[in-house]
């Protein structure tokens, strides 16, 4: 039975589930259903798939869901469900095969009002592949039992109140491709075992309280495409495996204390669209090889210890929207062909040691909205061509040698 996207209203309270004992699939997602999830839904003993996502349901998860021993997917996301996830919904031990959600593969409870602790018993679901509990109020530790879930491929726990360390045995989940833990209160050191996750394509650790080292082999499988560890207290060299991780398309490591050399620790990333290394302790200079990252739209390395010159090859990055290299020690002249970056919206080179004149071809920056070249050693006349940048909203050229 599939009835999505038809604007159904009302409640499920008086629906006679007991008359549908042979029902295998019930899809009521994206409607306007209200009320609670009735306990009578547990009479659908043969049900394999249940999707009630994106409605206006409230109340708690009925314990009768434990009767759905053949269900492989349950989705209650984007409702107003409150309370806790009752441990009795799950098998009572790793070897149990007759009680609870023993067939569960995909369990989705994103963006609800659920809280409490994530029960350890959830790790007894030996077929569990996808667990998505993003944007809720769960607190306490990540259940270590999830490391026993040998079929786990996606674990999404972002935007909760989870605390304590990452259980080391999560690193034994060899099939894990997507691990999202951002925006919690997790702390401590990264378990070295995370480096064993050779199938990872997405790893989000941002906005927590982690310290110490990032796993040096975070991309040993060569499949990582999306990596964030921003806004933590990591104080270590940049992971060595990132240099050869050519699959990357998005990297966010800003606001840590990471060290390393920009030209040595990063390679060529043909798919990279976004990188932010701002406010770390990265040294070195921009290599001409950055010009080979043809899909790059955002380049932020502000607040580091970079020196050297801006390579002329940067003008080859014609997809760039944002360049922020402010608060470094970059010197030399601006690239003469800077105006070729016609898609650039933000150019922030404030607080460096740039010298020479502002290129007259700057009028080629036809999309530019924000230009900050202040606190440098630029000299000569302000080129009148800046007036051709008709979309400019913010312009700062102050505190230069002569402007």
């Amino acid at each position: 039975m599939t009835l999505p996207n038809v604007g159904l209203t009302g409640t499920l309270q008086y629906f006679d589930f007991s008359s549908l004992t042979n029902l295998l699939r019930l899809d009521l997602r994206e409607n306007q259903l209200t009320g609670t999830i009735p306990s009578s839904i547990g009479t659908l003993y043969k049900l394999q798939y249940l999707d009630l996502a994106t409605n206006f349901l409230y109340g708690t998860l009925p314990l009768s869901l434990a009767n759905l021993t053949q269900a492989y997917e349950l989705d209650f996301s984007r409702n107003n469900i409150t309370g806790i996830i009752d441990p009795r919904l799950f098998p009572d031990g790793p070897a149990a095969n007759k009680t609870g959600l023993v067939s569960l593969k995909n369990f989705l409870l994103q963006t609800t009002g659920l809280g409490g602790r994530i029960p350890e018993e959830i790790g007894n679901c030996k077929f569990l592949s996808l667990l998505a509990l993003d944007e809720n109020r769960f607190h306490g530790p990540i259940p270590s039992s999830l490391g026993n879930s040998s079929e786990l491929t996606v674990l999404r726990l972002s935007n909760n109140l989870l605390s304590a360390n990452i259980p080391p045995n999560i690193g034994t989940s060899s099939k894990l491709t997507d691990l999202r833990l951002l925006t919690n209160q997790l702390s401590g050191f990264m378990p070295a075992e995370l480096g064993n996750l050779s199938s990872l394509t997405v790893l989000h650790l941002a906005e927590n309280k982690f310290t110490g080292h990032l796993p040096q082999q975070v991309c040993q499988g060569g499949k990582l495409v999306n990596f964030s560890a921003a806004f933590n207290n990591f104080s270590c060299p940049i992971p060595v495996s990132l240099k050869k991780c050519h699959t990357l398309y998005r990297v966010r490591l800003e606001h840590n204390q990471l060290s390393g050399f920009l030209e040595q620790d990063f390679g060529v990333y043909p798919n990279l669209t976004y990188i932010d290394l701002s406010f770390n302790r990265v040294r070195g200079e921009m290599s001409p090889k950055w010009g080979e990252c043809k899909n790059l739209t955002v380049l932020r390395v502000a607040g580091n210890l970079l020196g050297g010159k801006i390579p002329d090859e940067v003008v080859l990055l014609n997809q760039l929207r944002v360049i922020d290299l402010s608060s470094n020690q970059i010197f030399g002249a601006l690239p003469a062909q800077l105006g070729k970056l016609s898609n650039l919206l933000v150019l922030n080179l404030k607080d460096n040691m740039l010298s020479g004149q502002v290129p007259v071809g700057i009028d080629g920056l036809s999309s530019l909205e924000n230009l900050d070249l202040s606190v440098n050693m630029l000299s000569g006349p302000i080129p009148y061509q800046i007036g051709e940048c008709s979309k400019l909203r913010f312009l700062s050229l102050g505190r230069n040698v002569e402007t």
Side-chain angles (χ1 to χ4, degrees):
M1 179 183 291
T2 301
L3 297 171
N5 300 314
V6 292
L8 296 175
T9 61
T11 74
L12 299 175
Q13 293 301 309
Y14 306 108
F15 197 85
D16 187 9
F17 289 107
S18 62
S19 65
L20 299 171
T21 53
N22 291 314
L23 193 66
L24 301 179
R25 181 184 179 97
L26 178 58
D27 188 343
L28 295 171
R29 70 186 186 277
E30 298 180 23
N31 282 291
Q32 300 180 51
L33 299 175
T34 60
T36 60
I37 302 170
S39 59
S40 59
I41 203 166
T43 61
L44 302 175
Y45 301 112
K46 295 183 180 180
L47 197 67
Q48 298 176 2
Y49 178 99
L50 173 61
D51 192 343
L52 300 179
T54 318
N55 279 285
F56 298 93
L57 301 170
Y58 55 83
T60 59
L61 293 174
L63 184 56
S64 64
L65 290 172
N67 297 331
L68 306 182
T69 56
Q70 297 185 43
Y72 67 84
E73 179 162 333
L74 300 177
D75 191 348
F76 303 104
S77 302
R78 294 172 295 282
N79 279 289
N80 300 315
I81 300 168
T82 55
I84 65 169
I85 300 178
D86 196 311
R88 292 174 292 176
L89 290 173
F90 308 107
D92 57 9
N97 57 10
K98 294 182 179 180
T99 60
L101 297 168
V102 295
S103 302
L104 191 62
K105 293 182 179 179
N106 303 328
F107 194 33
L108 299 95
L109 287 163
Q110 300 166 288
T111 317
T112 71
L114 285 164
R117 295 189 172 218
I118 302 171
E120 283 283 342
E121 287 80 357
I122 201 167
N124 294 334
C125 298
K126 60 183 179 179
F127 302 111
L128 188 65
S129 176
L130 184 158
L131 178 62
L133 304 179
D134 323 46
E135 298 185 17
N136 286 291
R137 301 172 185 171
F138 295 111
H139 61 80
I142 298 171
S144 60
S145 62
L146 288 173
N148 302 325
S149 302
S150 59
E151 299 299 314
L152 193 63
T153 60
V154 177
L155 178 58
R156 299 181 56 169
L157 305 177
S158 302
N159 295 92
N160 280 286
L161 301 169
L162 299 172
S163 58
N165 299 350
I166 298 176
N169 64 350
I170 293 293
T172 65
S173 302
S174 59
K175 296 183 180 180
L176 199 61
T177 64
D178 188 333
L179 177 59
R180 307 189 191 203
L181 305 177
L182 70 157
T183 316
N184 278 286
Q185 298 175 16
L186 297 165
S187 59
F189 296 104
M190 285 289 100
E193 289 83 353
L194 286 189
N196 299 329
L197 299 176
S198 58
S199 298
L200 272 184
T201 60
V202 177
L203 176 60
H204 287 319
L205 305 171
E207 298 181 49
N208 280 286
K209 301 176 181 179
F210 294 124
T211 55
H213 285 58
L214 285 166
Q216 289 298 298
Q217 300 303 321
V218 67
C219 190
Q220 72 161 350
K223 300 175 182 178
L224 196 64
V225 298
N226 197 334
F227 177 38
S228 74
F231 294 95
N232 279 287
N233 295 303
F234 291 115
S235 56
C236 61
I238 292 165
V240 294
S241 59
L242 287 186
K243 185 170 185 177
K244 296 182 179 180
C245 197
H246 305 303
T247 52
L248 286 170
Y249 76 82
R250 187 174 177 88
V251 179
R252 290 192 56 192
L253 300 176
E254 70 268 26
H255 290 275
N256 281 288
Q257 301 176 54
L258 298 172
S259 60
F261 290 85
L262 190 63
E263 74 274 25
Q264 296 177 16
D265 297 330
F266 291 89
V268 174
Y269 310 104
N271 303 314
L272 190 68
T273 63
Y274 188 112
I275 186 166
D276 194 340
L277 306 174
S278 300
F279 303 103
N280 280 288
R281 298 175 179 175
V282 179
R283 298 177 179 272
E285 57 187 72
M286 285 192 66
S287 164
K289 289 185 177 180
W290 282 95
E292 299 178 42
C293 300
K294 302 294 187 181
N295 292 309
L296 196 60
T297 62
V298 175
L299 173 62
R300 298 183 191 270
V301 199
N304 279 281
L305 301 168
L306 295 184
K309 299 180 179 181
I310 299 174
D312 290 336
E313 287 78 4
V314 75
V315 304
L316 301 176
L317 303 175
N318 56 18
Q319 300 299 316
L320 272 175
R321 303 290 192 275
V322 176
I323 299 176
D324 188 351
L325 304 177
S326 59
S327 300
N328 280 289
Q329 300 167 17
I330 299 169
F331 57 84
L334 292 168
Q337 302 298 315
L338 193 62
K340 288 186 175 181
L341 299 175
S342 58
N343 290 311
L344 200 64
L345 302 175
V346 176
L347 176 59
N348 188 352
L349 302 174
K350 175 184 178 180
D351 190 19
N352 279 287
M353 296 185 290
L354 296 168
S355 58
Q357 298 187 15
V358 179
V360 295
I362 198 167
D363 58 339
L365 301 176
S366 56
S367 301
L368 197 64
E369 298 178 359
N370 186 317
L371 175 61
D372 195 340
L373 302 177
S374 63
V375 198
N376 277 287
M377 296 186 291
L378 297 170
S379 59
I382 299 173
Y384 70 86
Q385 288 87 349
I386 285 183
E388 300 297 319
C389 299
S390 59
K391 296 183 179 180
L392 202 59
R393 298 180 181 181
F394 178 91
L395 173 62
S396 181
L397 302 173
R399 297 178 63 187
N400 276 286
V401 173
E402 180 182 355
T403 56

